[in-house]
């Protein structure tokens, strides 16, 4: 099957002029031009203050040119003094003027130099500091979550995953749009600008060391290429991808995706369910909104539940994960619960309770009979 726009994607993959870089979340800082403007304004204030201090005591200074000191001479003297040039054509001659130079003008000179030198050093060390921060981030990044695409689907996926307790520092967003990455870093996520179909871009996101990869691109053909590239770089990560057309879901699974969500058909089924039963539609919408109301979670079986049936547990069990099989709660093959089983349950979400997401790879290939919860 040839996906729409596949030729265009292939041509883009051959281009080597695509820029990509990593952007880490940072505290809100002023624009560099604004910072420099503020520093220059402070230096100008110091200069003006020094000039008026000298002008106020102009009788205590001697100008070799005409002997008198006007306002222009005061600004000239302040400029050459603060910049440590000191031509010597204007000099303090009275005790008061010399006292002022020692205890007022000299501290102002030091402040003036600190402002200018500080601005220069900050500009020179900014790139070095950013490189050090980036290298430190890469060295500590392990078992993180990579999200490809920061559109509506990507944002919702990140929000759901973080609602289970995942910190924002463990999320890396990949998107070709600089504006999308700016929004991601503003929300506290690390971002990589670039085309995720290229392996070098995914490597910058450390996808080879990621635990989970969420692919939420706008096009199905892009999702296929990203899945192929991500699976080649990381054989053990859990890859979940979203597609628009249901007919492309098998292609995503063949490309290496553990789970494929068909966004268009899922929305259509929710619309149909809401028409038939608005209350049922509300319940389903509540289930897919993690962290509020009812949540569907996967958890291990505890020792107190071993030997019981799914109906005898305190939680509302929907399915039982046994090995590589997903069995319905009423499946005869379930029998009694075992310590190695995992339960998919519906629980009441509370603000102080967070359930860690399952980190094991999902089973591949066809699953046996039994309902599979969809969310």
């Amino acid at each position: 099957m040839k996906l729409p726009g596949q030729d265009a994607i292939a041509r883009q993959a051959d281009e080597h002029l695509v820029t990509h870089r990593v952007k880490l979340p940072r505290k809100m800082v002023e624009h560099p031009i604004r910072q420099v403007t503020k520093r220059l304004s402070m230096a100008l204030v110091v200069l003006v203050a020094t000039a008026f201090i000298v002008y106020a005591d102009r009788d205590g200074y001697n100008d070799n040119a005409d002997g008198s000191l006007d306002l222009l001479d005061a600004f000239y003297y302040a400029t050459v003094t603060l910049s440590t040039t000191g031509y010597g054509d204007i000099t303090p001659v009275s005790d008061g003027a010399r006292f002022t130079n020692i205890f007022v003008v000299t501290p102002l000179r030091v402040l003036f130099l600190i402002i200018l030198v500080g601005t220069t050093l900050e500009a020179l060390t900014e790139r070095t500091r950013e490189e050090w921060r980036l290298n430190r981030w890469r060295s500590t990044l392990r078992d993180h979550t990579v999200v490809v695409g920061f559109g509506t689907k990507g944002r919702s996926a990140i929000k759901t995953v973080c609602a289970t307790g995942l910190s924002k520092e463990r999320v890396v967003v990949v998107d070709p749009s600089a504006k999308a990455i700016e929004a991601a870093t503003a929300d506290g996520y690390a971002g990589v600008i670039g085309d995720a179909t290229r392996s070098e871009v995914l490597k910058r996101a450390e996808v080879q060391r990621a635990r989970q990869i969420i692919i939420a691109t706008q096009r199905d053909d892009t999702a296929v290429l990203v899945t192929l590239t991500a699976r080649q770089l990381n054989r053990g990560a859990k890859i979940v991808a979203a597609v628009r057309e249901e007919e492309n879901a098998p292609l995503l699974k063949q490309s290496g995706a553990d789970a494929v969500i068909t966004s268009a058909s899922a929305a259509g089924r929710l619309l149909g369910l809401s028409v038939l039963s608005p209350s049922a539609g509300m319940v389903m919408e509540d289930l897919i909104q993690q962290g509020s109301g009812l949540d569907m979670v996967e958890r291990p079986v505890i020792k107190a539940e071993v030997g019981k049936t799914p109906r005898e547990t305190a939680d509302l069990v929907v399915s039982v994960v046994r090995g590589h099989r997903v069995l319905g709660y009423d499946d005869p093959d379930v029998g009694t619960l075992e310590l190695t089983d995992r339960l998919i349950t519906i629980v009441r979400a509370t603000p102080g309770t967070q359930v860690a997401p399952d980190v094991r790879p999902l089973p591949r290939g066809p699953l046996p009979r039994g309902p599979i919860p969809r969310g």
Side-chain angles (χ1 to χ4, degrees), residues 80-110:
V80 298
T81 300
L82 293 181
S83 62
T84 68
T85 304
Y87 293 112
D89 48 352
I90 299 178
T91 57
V93 293
S94 68
D95 293 340
R98 291 174 178 177
F99 183 88
T100 302
N101 269 262
I102 294 173
F103 294 101
V104 179
V105 176
T106 298
L108 289 175
R109 181 189 301 117
V110 174

Side-chain angles (χ1 to χ4, degrees), residues 44-65:
L44 183 61
V45 169
V46 173
L47 176 64
V48 172
T50 304
F52 277 104
I53 290 174
V54 172
Y55 184 72
D57 192 23
R58 55 187 177 276
D59 293 336
Y61 291 84
N62 179 53
D63 185 358
N64 295 334

Side-chain angles (χ1 to χ4, degrees), residues 16 27 51 57 65 123 135 143 153 196 201 210 277 303 316 318 335 364:
H16 299 285
K27 297 180 180 179
D57 192 23
N135 292 333
D143 296 330
K153 292 180 291 187
V201 175
S277 174
K303 291 184 179 180
L316 179 58
V318 178
R364 298 190 190 175

Side-chain angles (χ1 to χ4, degrees), residues 146 212-216 227 231 237-242 252 256-261 362:
V146 177
Q212 303 168 125
I213 303 172
I214 300 174
I215 301 175
T227 303
R231 181 55 72 193
K238 180 192 296 182
I239 299 180
V240 180
L252 263 296
D258 296 298
V260 180
I261 306 300
L362 295 176

Side-chain angles (χ1 to χ4, degrees), residues 243-257:
V243 293
R244 292 177 177 271
E245 302 297 333
E246 193 168 1
E247 62 180 7
N248 294 328
L251 185 58
L252 263 296
K253 291 184 178 180
Q254 293 176 9
S255 301

Side-chain angles (χ1 to χ4, degrees), residues 353-369:
T353 303
Q354 290 181 332
V355 181
D358 180 32
V359 297
R360 300 181 309 148
L362 295 176
R364 298 190 190 175
L367 294 173
R369 57 195 181 95

